Amino acid sequence: ASIEHGSDDDGDNGNTSITKTVQSNVYAAAMAGILLVVTGYSMSFGPLTWLLTSEIFPTEIRGRALGASSILSVLSAIFVTSTFLSMQSWIGNTAIFGCYLLVTMLGTVFAMTAIPETKGLSVSEIDSALDRMTWWREPLSLVRQNESRQ
């Protein structure tokens, strides 16, 4: 004798409804994750990029530096967007996200060592803070030497 479980019209013994429920939960979790990433980016790196570039560069190179950093930002976005799927199939999910993690960690180290605190500082005080940072000493001295020759 067999025990009958409640079955749907198509005779799948309820497997379809369980599968649909699981898929629905997975899709909901994925959507929540996407929304969290977009919200986090919008509250951190998104505006931070433009805020930093507008106030961090010394006045003598600000125009050129803003243009160069904007171009670099767009080219980076194009590169990641156009290579993600091919890299994912070539090296796998773990490796591609590991690469993104590495770039993020390097960016964090760069931000901690090359971007001074600017809260409450004037432009000249920010320039002085940049002069004291190793990342900016050489490029700033080259710009100033070039301007003194002109």
Side-chain angles (χ1 to χ4, degrees):
S2 68
I3 299 174
E4 287 277 327
H5 296 288
S7 63
D8 294 338
D9 291 338
D10 58 0
D12 65 355
N13 295 328
N15 290 336
T16 302
S17 64
I18 292 171
T19 302
K20 286 181 181 179
T21 302
V22 169
Q23 285 177 341
S24 177
N25 290 340
V26 169
Y27 294 147
M31 183 57 75
I34 290 169
L35 291 175
L36 284 172
V37 167
V38 170
T39 301
Y41 180 79
S42 298
M43 293 172 37
S44 61
F45 283 116
L48 182 66
T49 303
W50 303 109
L51 175 67
L52 278 176
T53 56
S54 67
E55 75 177 24
I56 201 75
F57 292 116
T59 51
E60 59 264 11
I61 64 166
R62 186 167 290 149
R64 292 182 299 257
L66 284 172
S69 65
S70 297
I71 290 169
L72 182 62
S73 178
V74 169
L75 290 176
S76 298
I78 289 170
F79 175 76
V80 169
T81 303
S82 64
T83 61
F84 174 74
L85 292 176
S86 58
M87 292 294 287
Q88 186 182 27
S89 65
W90 183 46
I91 63 175
N93 285 339
T94 304
I96 191 70
F97 285 107
C99 291
Y100 291 155
L101 175 65
L102 178 64
V103 169
T104 301
M105 291 172 66
L106 291 172
T108 302
V109 169
F110 174 78
M112 293 173 68
T113 59
I115 301 173
E117 175 60 55
T118 60
K119 184 177 182 180
L121 299 179
S122 68
V123 173
S124 62
E125 290 171 326
I126 293 171
D127 284 347
S128 296
L130 287 171
D131 285 340
R132 291 189 300 272
M133 299 185 111
T134 307
W135 283 94
W136 304 111
R137 269 191 217 127
E138 187 65 26
L140 289 176
S141 66
L142 292 173
V143 167
R144 291 183 179 131
Q145 286 175 3
N146 190 25
E147 287 182 350
S148 66
R149 290 183 201 152
Q150 295 175 354

